[in-house]
Amino acid sequence: MREEIWRLYRHLILSGFAIVVCCFVAIEFAHNEFADSKTEQLFYVDAEISSALLLSGVAKQVPESQFDWNLSSAASLPFPNIPSLIETKKWLASDEASYSVSFQQSATPVLTGNASTLNPMFQFKTLLERLLLTPQLEYSDKVALIESMSSLSINQYDSQGSALLSGVALVQGTAQEYGFLWKDENAEKPSYITLTKTDVFPLTLVVVVIISVGVAIMLLLIWRELMALDVKRKTFESITRQIARGRSGLPQGVPDNNSTLKELAYSFDSMSSHIERLLKVQREMINAISHELRTPIARLRFGLEMVKDEVDDDVGPTIEALEGDVEELNTLVDEVLTYGKLEGGSLELNFKELSISQLIDEILQHNHLLLQHLTVNTSIDSADIVEADEHHISRALQNLILNASKYAASTITVSFSQDSERWQLDIEDDGPGIPFEDRDKVFIPFQRLDNSRTRASGGYGLGLAIVQRIAFWHGGAVLIDESESGGAKFSFIWSRNQHQKTVS
């Protein structure tokens, strides 16, 4: 089991490492993607502002720009054409090292620009100043140009700033946004100009997917180990059930790579075999003693019969008492032998069709002297034909009825019922009953309960144990419940489908 725990621990470590790696990859990916997005956005700003300056004729050259521009005509374009031309810009080629952009209304580009990697000293404010503070364009034209640019956004803003163009930071909660306040003399309110917000949802989705993959790997590894442990648990549970049912030896193909389960199963099997040997020795000893007792019991019985004819009448009661003791000893030996056969499975059961009502009548007539002080009520269905071993089912029912007679105050009730799966005989008495915690103990051989059901009632503590074994060999069981009259209720139940025609 230590190997399984270590393997699970190792998988947890590997899974945790995988999650850390996935998080690192996700953070690096997000950082690089965000940096690339910002770089592209600054290139867009540069291209759009520079093209506006060149196409409108405000500037002949733009040294602050990152692009090398090539204007096809020295003449400036009419202003109404410039915003639409900026909106239709085309990036001709773009890779990690260079960017190319063209502005064209026909097949021939009006303006083209090429740029390499972005200079860290990007002169955003200088470009914006040249466009917004030039007197060559009207205020409305400048606003139209800014609105045509996809990389910039412009909004009116309430502020009392005095500078014509000043950099500001807009704070919203914990987030900061950098932009510029532009105050034109022809505008009632200053305008706030900033970069357009980048849509980070696809980037966030990618990060979430990468981390989810790491978590899924961890869960998959842990689930695999847990399922392997569960398979071994079920296998071990099956093995222990088989051992509990008396199987000796382990089944073939026990799934266990490191032999931990096999070692544990072999330990259980060894313990089961040892217990089985002890029980076998005990049964053989009891059976041997019981068989050996039959001869001296028979001699005692014969001797007492001989002595009874030769002694005086005043000794007769003593002789009869001794005969009763010998008969009691003989009955005990018979019960021990019967239980030994039932426990060891060395007897043969022959199932046949029987009438329960007839069987119970014979039991009551045979034991009428022991039952004459009680009222015995029977409730049996008209369809009372069952399949059972006649000798042993009669022995079981007789034991149950005589057991009830020992504790009943006045009444015993015997009832029979059946359904499509089983037959059931209930024997109830109106005696003191059996406490719930003691109900399993009554089936233990030679077990005595420390209550009103004591040795004063007679018996040897084997009657109910024999009943239980007979029920077992009939594919059933014996249940104990409380009777409606307050006493004990014994239910002898056996299957209509699972019993065999012959069990040996």
Side-chain angles (χ1 to χ4, degrees):
M1 191 60 68
R2 182 178 298 175
E3 180 66 24
E4 280 80 5
I5 295 174
W6 165 241
R7 188 163 61 248
L8 181 60
Y9 182 67
R10 185 171 66 242
H11 282 267
L12 284 173
I13 295 176
L14 293 175
S15 302
F17 179 75
I19 291 178
V20 171
V21 170
C22 288
C23 291
F24 176 78
V25 171
I27 292 172
E28 284 296 313
F29 176 79
H31 176 75
N32 294 333
E33 287 295 316
F34 187 76
D36 292 343
S37 176
K38 284 297 181 182
T39 300
E40 289 184 359
Q41 194 173 29
L42 292 178
F43 271 115
Y44 292 161
V45 170
D46 188 334
E48 290 175 343
I49 296 178
S50 299
S51 63
L53 291 172
L54 293 171
L55 293 173
S56 63
V58 173
K60 298 299 182 180
Q61 293 181 351
V62 186
E64 301 88 353
S65 175
Q66 305 291 314
F67 288 86
D68 294 327
W69 294 104
N70 181 19
L71 188 63
S72 61
S73 174
S76 58
L77 293 177
F79 182 80
N81 296 337
I82 295 176
S84 59
L85 185 62
I86 291 176
E87 290 179 356
T88 58
K89 65 181 178 297
K90 293 182 179 179
W91 293 93
L92 301 178
S94 176
D95 53 35
E96 295 180 355
S98 63
Y99 292 86
S100 299
V101 63
S102 67
F103 299 86
Q104 60 186 61
Q105 290 178 329
S106 59
T108 303
V110 179
L111 178 67
T112 58
N114 298 289
S116 58
T117 305
L118 183 69
N119 191 327
M121 300 298 293
F122 180 67
Q123 302 182 52
F124 184 18
K125 184 178 180 181
T126 304
L127 286 170
L128 203 57
E129 283 180 342
R130 293 192 65 177
L131 177 64
L132 299 179
L133 302 183
T134 178
Q136 299 179 25
L137 297 175
E138 300 292 334
Y139 171 74
S140 58
D141 296 336
K142 297 174 183 178
V143 172
L145 280 173
I146 295 296
E147 290 179 344
S148 67
M149 297 177 184
S150 61
S151 58
L152 295 178
S153 64
I154 181 171
N155 296 286
Q156 287 189 341
Y157 201 79
D158 293 330
S159 175
Q160 300 299 324
S162 58
L164 297 179
L165 186 67
S166 59
V168 296
L170 182 64
V171 179
Q172 297 177 344
T174 57
Q176 291 185 346
E177 181 180 273
Y178 296 94
F180 295 90
L181 279 178
W182 171 40
K183 186 177 181 181
D184 192 270
E185 60 183 6
N186 297 318
E188 296 180 0
K189 295 181 180 181
S191 297
Y192 175 67
I193 301 173
T194 185
L195 296 175
T196 54
K197 294 181 179 180
T198 304
D199 185 11
V200 297
F201 176 76
L203 186 61
T204 304
L205 182 61
V206 171
V207 172
V208 170
V209 169
I210 294 175
I211 296 177
S212 299
V213 168
V215 174
I217 293 174
M218 181 190 71
L219 294 177
L220 182 62
L221 292 174
I222 295 176
W223 176 255
R224 179 187 174 191
E225 289 302 316
L226 291 177
M227 289 301 295
L229 289 175
D230 187 61
V231 169
K232 293 184 178 181
R233 178 194 63 80
K234 291 180 179 178
T235 303
F236 183 70
E237 184 178 347
S238 175
I239 292 173
T240 53
R241 281 206 194 102
Q242 294 176 23
I243 293 175
R245 292 170 182 167
R247 172 174 180 170
S248 60
L250 291 175
Q252 298 294 326
V254 178
D256 188 18
N257 296 331
N258 55 13
S259 301
T260 303
L261 182 59
K262 288 183 179 179
E263 291 178 4
L264 189 58
Y266 278 120
S267 297
F268 269 85
D269 183 54
S270 177
M271 178 184 66
S272 174
S273 299
H274 182 64
I275 293 174
E276 185 178 358
R277 286 194 299 271
L278 292 177
L279 291 175
K280 183 179 180 181
V281 170
Q282 182 187 32
R283 285 195 297 266
E284 290 177 352
M285 182 180 65
I286 292 175
N287 289 337
I289 293 174
S290 300
H291 279 291
E292 292 298 326
L293 284 175
R294 284 189 177 275
T295 300
I297 289 173
R299 290 175 182 172
L300 285 173
R301 183 184 295 170
F302 178 75
L304 288 174
E305 288 290 338
M306 296 293 294
V307 171
K308 190 193 305 184
D309 296 335
E310 299 177 2
V311 299
D312 298 333
D313 292 340
D314 55 346
V315 186
T318 303
I319 299 299
E320 291 179 358
L322 290 174
E323 286 181 333
D325 292 337
V326 171
E327 185 62 31
E328 185 176 347
L329 184 59
N330 186 63
T331 304
L332 173 59
V333 170
D334 180 63
E335 295 230 333
V336 169
L337 291 174
T338 301
Y339 181 76
K341 291 180 180 179
L342 289 168
E343 183 68 23
S346 60
L347 78 165
E348 184 175 336
L349 301 182
N350 295 311
F351 290 86
K352 65 178 182 179
E353 292 187 352
L354 303 171
S355 170
I356 287 296
S357 58
Q358 182 178 350
L359 194 64
I360 292 176
D361 288 341
E362 292 176 358
I363 294 172
L364 296 179
Q365 291 176 9
H366 183 71
N367 299 279
H368 70 279
L369 293 178
L370 298 175
L371 302 172
Q372 60 184 353
H373 64 290
L374 299 171
T375 301
V376 181
N377 300 320
T378 58
S379 176
I380 301 176
D381 297 342
S382 57
D384 64 339
I385 303 300
V386 301
E387 290 188 8
D389 179 87
E390 182 176 10
H391 172 71
H392 290 93
I393 198 76
S394 176
R395 178 69 177 271
L397 297 180
Q398 177 174 279
N399 285 4
L400 289 175
I401 292 173
L402 293 181
N403 179 74
S405 69
K406 298 172 185 177
Y407 311 107
S410 61
T411 306
I412 296 176
T413 302
V414 181
S415 57
F416 172 76
S417 60
Q418 59 181 314
D419 56 28
S420 60
E421 296 182 355
R422 64 182 185 175
W423 293 294
Q424 179 171 334
L425 273 164
D426 298 324
I427 293 89
E428 306 178 49
D429 62 67
D430 57 352
I434 303 176
F436 180 80
E437 61 274 11
D438 292 334
R439 291 176 182 174
D440 289 337
K441 298 178 182 178
V442 301
F443 298 112
I444 301 176
F446 305 106
Q447 180 72 29
R448 296 290 182 174
L449 303 182
D450 188 18
N451 56 16
S452 60
R453 293 176 178 261
T454 61
R455 291 188 184 274
S457 61
Y460 313 103
L462 279 173
L464 294 179
I466 290 174
V467 172
Q468 186 187 51
R469 298 310 298 173
I470 292 175
F472 171 79
W473 286 111
H474 279 73
V478 182
L479 306 180
I480 304 177
D481 203 349
E482 184 178 352
S483 172
E484 295 181 358
S485 57
K489 175 183 178 181
F490 286 82
S491 298
F492 186 95
I493 304 170
W494 72 106
S495 172
R496 301 179 68 136
N497 304 317
Q498 296 182 359
H499 71 276
Q500 305 176 30
K501 295 296 180 182
T502 300
V503 178
S504 58

